[in-house]
Structures are given as structure tokens and as C-alpha cells.
Amino acid sequence: MRTSQLLIPTLKEAPADAEVISHQLMLRAGMIRKLAAGIYSWLPLGLRVLRKVEGIVREEMDRVGAQEVLMPAIQPAELWQESGRWGFYGSELLRIKDRHQRDFCFGPTHEEVITDLIRNEIRSYKQLPATFYQIQTKFRDEPRPRFGIMRAREFLMKDAYSFHLDQTSLQETYDLMHEAYTRIFTRLGLKFRTVYADTGAIGGSGSQEFHVLADTGEDAIAFSNASDFAANVELAEALVPSGKRSAPQQTLNTVDTPGQHSIEDVSRFLKLPREQCVKTLLVQGAKDNIMALVLRGDHELNMVKAGKLTGVASPVVFATNEQVRAAVGCEPGSLGPIGLKIDVIVDRAAAHLADFVCGANQDGKHYSGVNWGRDLAEPLIADIRNVVAGDPSPDGKGTLAIARGIEVGHIFQLGTKYSAAMNASVLDQAGQSVIMTMGCYGIGVSRIVAAAIEQNHDDRGIIWSQAIAPFQVALLPMNMQKSQRVREAAEKLYRALQDAGIAVLFDDRPLRAGVMFADMELIGIPHRLVLGERGLDANTIEYKGRRDAESQDLPLSTIVEFIQSQLADGSAQK
RNA sequence: CGGGGUGUAGCUCAGCUUGGUAGAGCACUAGCUUCGGGAGCUAGGGGCCAGAGGUUCAAAUCCUCUCAUCCCGACCA
């Protein structure tokens, strides 16, 4: 491809509303343009990358025997009412009406459609297991689209659905998909981790997420330094502290803490470490009541864990200041578990404390030297906090570290959630009707493009891995407009590279060298060839890999072979 | 949804406090010079100052409302 025939509207400066590096670089490299919040056009260069990602995903899906289909983006409300999600999914579901005022939605996911399709087409256990996938545009009316393509409302997703007679069969396909996903992200040249995850709105039982590791990731992942264990922080279990709780040493005291509200304030005021304080959070109970959750001062409430407790409203909703005053009689900054008339649930770590500090349920007062079982009853204990770095790994091996990740894939064992609601069944060997068991498997295809950039860039621009680069080689002729020799040599080399099947971008624009260099580095082409008078005199050409510090002069006669060997090298990051 | 910010040329931004002919750099067009790291000079083109009301002789500027958009929190590929 010639740059003169390709729209590459590069920018020197990033638009002010682009915050993260991948968003900035995709705009600057001329890959995408925004149409509305969370809705983007893909320009030629961006689309080439997107298609590369798609291609790898498609190959690996086909390889594990999944069959490609394409389902409608627009779906009738009836299916969603049947599954129960028309009401449940909320405003993230973009609802539309047709000319007859019938309700439709723009599909955010396709469990309903595929289940409807399969219940009509598959009748016998002999046709199972079967897996179907599509690569298709989804729309989720995100409460807060951000970071460009990373969290868009309209985005490209690969979604696959598998159907089984029983759980054993589902597990086999699930494992196969796990392997396929691992191959996909490996081939894409990404550093990633598989983590255990919450199932969220999709529902079902087991589920794992695939995260690309990047500091700008929106998710926190906990993983062991001594085993394969990795889990979303939402889900990672905080173990019961080892050893016995210390015996009380201090007596219960009331201390004046005027104006000290946060744990930060109180620990500084009393010159005590934060982990010697507890914080008490009031939340809505399951039935129109208020409950208290107690955590160690240095720990954070895990909303997912708390929401799963019986008695606590799900999702977790904090009590308002008015409700706190009504229930306890003081401001939220002075709450404590002693003497509360409401149900109290205490985190494992907080329950392990002795001689701790807590609010006295009076403004400006705290208790010190507090001990469970002496100053107040032994508590009801649960795991309700986020794990932190240094916690023991839940699998008993090593300690946890926390990293940030971008979720690019998610696999679920759905069980019969949709098939039962929509009565999708087959006849088994005995002629009995059996509800099919299902799995579903998603990959954020467009998000991968952004994630790859987050993980691979420098101050000059994007650094594509060979697997998804829009072009493998950039061919830059120096001063071609003036030099007949350079022009002829460049045209000849361009043809030779093309004949060798190499995706080459020939910069034939009448531009100064600096502009070409800057553009090609910005758009991240892995290999660069510079052809000039100087080199022609010596029969050499300059080569530089995108990550190389220095360029090298190579014999012109063998350059095609050299590039081929670089591409075959497999170290995709060259 | 709650909280905060921003809307002026394709992009980055000045101008607004103190109303009085709409600006700069980059990008774009033409010419000359330059030509291996985002060139220089000259001459151009391009704006309903987000929109709608108001105040005023006069509004980008002051007031009100609306819309868009971004950031921080509860959700997700």
C-alpha cells in the first residue's frame, strides 16, 4: 500500500478529551475518530489492526470446532422478557421501537437469540455438544463510556455459546475454550493472566476472566507469588488471620476525638497505626433496615462480597447521613460496634483485633482498648474486605500481589440459566427431555486493540507486535521527488517486498524525512527500511526495528530475505 | 445515577475578570527557498464563539435554561 493512497490523518497533538495513552495514540495515529460518546469510526489503519485481531480469534475458534454464525444486532423484546432480562438488564440495554411501536433492543449480548435459535434447531443429544460463535457489533449503553475504544458503548465482540447434555460435557468445552483463549492472547503478543471472577449480570456459576496486564487497567487482580492462583480482587478470599487473637491488655477507655472523623484522622490524632482502629459502615439491609459492617481501619469494604451476605441489600447501598443519625444518633465519623441496636457483621481481620479503637456512637468521642467478648459480644464474622498485597494466597501457597489489568476475555459456565428460562431442551438417549447445559465465552475484539497499545508503546508512538501490525514494513525513500535513482530503487524494492508476500507501506508522499520517520513511528510499523542516495552508492539500505535503539546498514541485494527472516523469527516484538 | 470540569478554526489554546470590528501556533491552498528527524519566507482559505432565551445602544464576554463532552465514584468485553 502507498501512503499517498491511504488516509492516515496523524496528529501532532492529542485532542484534549483523550486521557489514557491508547486513546491518545489511536487518535494521533489516525486509527479512530469519535462520532459520539463511546461511539467511534474506524479509519483504514485502525480497521486493518482490528481485522488482524479478528483473524486470530477466528482461526482459534475454528480450530476448537466452534461454528461461525452471525446473529442480528437488533433483537425483539419478547426474547428478553422470556429470559427475564428485559426488566433486569436496566438502562444499559438500548431499547428502541419500530414503526409499529413494537419493542426491540440493540443486542448487548446474545444468549437469548442463540438459545432461541438452538432450541428450534437442535432436538437430539446426538447433535451435542455444539459451539457457535460470532464476531459482531454490540451496544451497551454504559453509564460512563471512557478511554476511547477501551470502554466504548458500541464495540466489536466475539461471543461464543456452547450447548451440552450435561455438566461433564460443558466442562470439557470450557477447558477447550480456556486453551483457545490462552493461544489467542499468546499469539497476539500480549502479557496476560487468567483470573477467577464474579459472574455479574450474565449469571451462571464458574467463570474466569483474561486480563491484559497494564498499569492503566480498570480492574485490580490479586495473584500469588508462589502458585498459579489469580483472582479478581472482588472475588479473592481474605483468609482468617492465623494464630489466636491476643488477649486483652488494656482497659476500655473513652477518649475525646474532637473533629476527627476518618480513620486517617483518628489514627493520627491518637498516634496509633490504622490497623489498630476499626471502621463501621452502615448499609441498607435486605428488608428496609440498616445494618453495620465492621472492618479494620486499613482495609476496604468489598461490595461484591458484602452484597452476597444474607441480610444485606444487593447491590450494597450505603445508609445516608440522615439514616445514620436516625439509627445511631451521631454523625458517620463516630460510629462503632459497641451498643449498636442493629445487626452487625464483622470482617475476619477486624474480629481478630484486640485492644482496638472504634467510634463511640457519640460525636467527637472514640473508645480505645476495645476487646471482643469483653466490651461487646463476640461478633458475627464474615469475609467482607478486599484483599491487599501481602495477604496470604487463598490456595495456601505464597502471598498475594496486586496488579492492574484490562479485561479482554471472559468465559462462563452458564448451566441452565437461559435454557431453563427459555425451555431449550433435547431428547437424551432414553427419550427423556433434558434441558441443555450452556457455556458462553466472550472476547472484546476492539478492546484488545486498545489493550495492546497500553502494553506496547513508547514516547514516539505505538509499537505493534507483528501479529496485529497494520503493515509489517515501512519503506521510506529519501528525497524520491528529486532523485531518479532513489525513486527507481524504491519502486523496485516495493514490488519485490510485495511479491514476497510482505505487507509493506511505501511512503511515497513528497514529505521531508523527519515527517515520515515521525509518522511511521507513531503508527507503530514493526520494521523500517530507509532508502537514500547514500546507501545506493554503497549498495546498502538502512534497517531499524521499531524497538531497536540503532539502525543498521544492510546489503540491498539481500534485504528481502533479511526481512523475511525477521518476520519468521517469531519473536513478534521485533 | 451522584460530584466536579470544559465547550472559541480540523487540532492545541489565547481573548471573558473590566461588554465596543474574533486571534495565535500547528494543519490546509499557492509561490519561492530548503530537503536523512515533525523546515523558512510570502500570500491566502476557513468561525452562527455549543444552542435557546434574556440584560444592554452594543454580548464570545454578564444572567437563566438546555445540550454536548471529559474526569472522580457504583457496572462490564
Side-chain angles (χ1 to χ4, degrees), chain A residues 22-287:
Chain A
S22 61
H23 188 195
Q24 292 176 358
L25 287 175
M26 288 181 84
L27 289 167
R28 286 190 53 209
M31 294 175 64
I32 56 169
R33 287 293 182 262
K34 181 172 73 178
L35 182 63
I39 301 178
Y40 289 83
S41 297
W42 289 80
L43 276 55
L45 203 61
L47 186 61
R48 286 182 73 99
V49 177
L50 193 64
R51 293 289 185 239
K52 287 285 185 99
V53 176
E54 243 182 78
I56 290 173
V57 171
R58 184 173 281 116
E59 278 177 27
E60 295 298 337
M61 285 297 106
D62 291 346
R63 183 158 144 181
V64 292
Q67 307 172 59
E68 186 166 9
V69 295
L70 183 58
M71 292 181 273
I74 304 293
Q75 309 175 8
E78 285 77 11
L79 282 182
W80 286 73
Q81 285 154 353
E82 197 178 341
S83 73
R85 286 207 290 184
W86 185 256
F88 183 75
Y89 215 93
S91 50
E92 207 168 298
L93 187 63
L94 180 66
R95 292 155 218 257
I96 46 188
K97 284 184 190 295
D98 72 2
R99 64 168 68 201
H100 304 293
Q101 300 302 305
R102 283 192 288 249
D103 288 315
F104 286 84
C105 64
F106 197 111
T109 175
H110 279 67
E111 281 82 7
E112 281 79 1
V113 178
I114 191 76
T115 305
D116 177 62
L117 182 71
I118 295 308
R119 70 179 165 184
N120 291 327
E121 307 305 329
I122 290 189
R123 298 290 161 75
S124 162
Y125 75 96
K126 291 177 193 166
Q127 294 169 282
L128 298 180
T131 304
F132 303 89
Y133 78 96
Q134 63 174 347
I135 296 174
Q136 191 238 21
T137 298
K138 299 280 188 283
F139 194 95
R140 295 183 186 174
D141 202 352
E142 288 278 345
R144 189 177 157 207
R146 58 184 145 170
F147 305 156
I149 230 70
M150 186 101 79
R151 177 175 297 281
R153 292 193 291 171
E154 185 174 310
F155 61 99
L156 193 66
M157 177 173 170
K158 186 283 299 179
D159 47 327
Y161 307 89
S162 67
F163 295 84
H164 311 269
L165 194 60
D166 54 34
Q167 172 65 29
T168 309
S169 169
L170 169 59
Q171 187 67 48
E172 280 169 18
T173 296
Y174 184 88
D175 292 342
L176 215 53
M177 279 291 178
H178 191 290
E179 289 167 26
Y181 273 43
T182 301
R183 272 198 300 274
I184 288 168
F185 298 119
T186 302
R187 283 183 63 184
L188 289 168
L190 298 169
K191 290 184 277 294
F192 68 98
R193 290 288 297 233
T194 309
V195 308
Y196 292 99
D198 187 56
T199 51
I202 306 286
S205 51
S207 111
Q208 283 165 288
E209 293 171 346
F210 290 76
H211 282 260
V212 167
L213 300 177
D215 293 337
T216 47
E218 291 184 80
D219 296 301
I221 305 162
F223 60 94
S224 166
N225 62 0
S227 72
D228 284 342
F229 178 86
N232 201 306
V233 162
E234 289 171 353
L235 205 72
E237 184 183 4
L239 298 178
V240 177
S242 56
K244 271 195 69 178
R245 189 168 69 202
S246 306
Q249 304 276 319
Q250 306 175 7
T251 53
L252 181 67
N253 265 312
T254 308
V255 287
D256 286 323
T257 51
Q260 311 300 314
H261 299 299
S262 67
I263 291 291
E264 198 72 33
D265 294 341
V266 172
S267 67
R268 197 178 322 114
F269 186 79
L270 297 176
K271 299 189 171 55
L272 282 171
R274 289 191 305 161
E275 53 266 33
Q276 205 54 41
C277 306
V278 304
K279 57 181 158 193
T280 304
L281 306 168
L282 298 199
V283 298
Q284 302 283 351
K287 22 176 210 291

Side-chain angles (χ1 to χ4, degrees), chain A residues 485-533:
Chain A
R485 285 172 74 203
V486 172
R487 173 192 302 274
E488 283 172 4
E491 291 283 354
K492 190 175 159 201
L493 181 54
Y494 176 49
R495 277 193 303 274
L497 288 163
Q498 283 189 311
D499 290 347
I502 296 165
V504 51
L505 184 59
F506 178 24
D507 202 344
D508 62 341
R509 298 173 296 181
L511 293 174
R512 299 167 65 84
V515 179
M516 291 187 190
F517 290 149
D519 269 358
M520 293 303 126
E521 280 164 347
L522 175 60
I523 68 180
I525 310 299
H527 306 279
R528 184 184 81 187
L529 294 173
V530 179
L531 193 61
E533 292 271 1

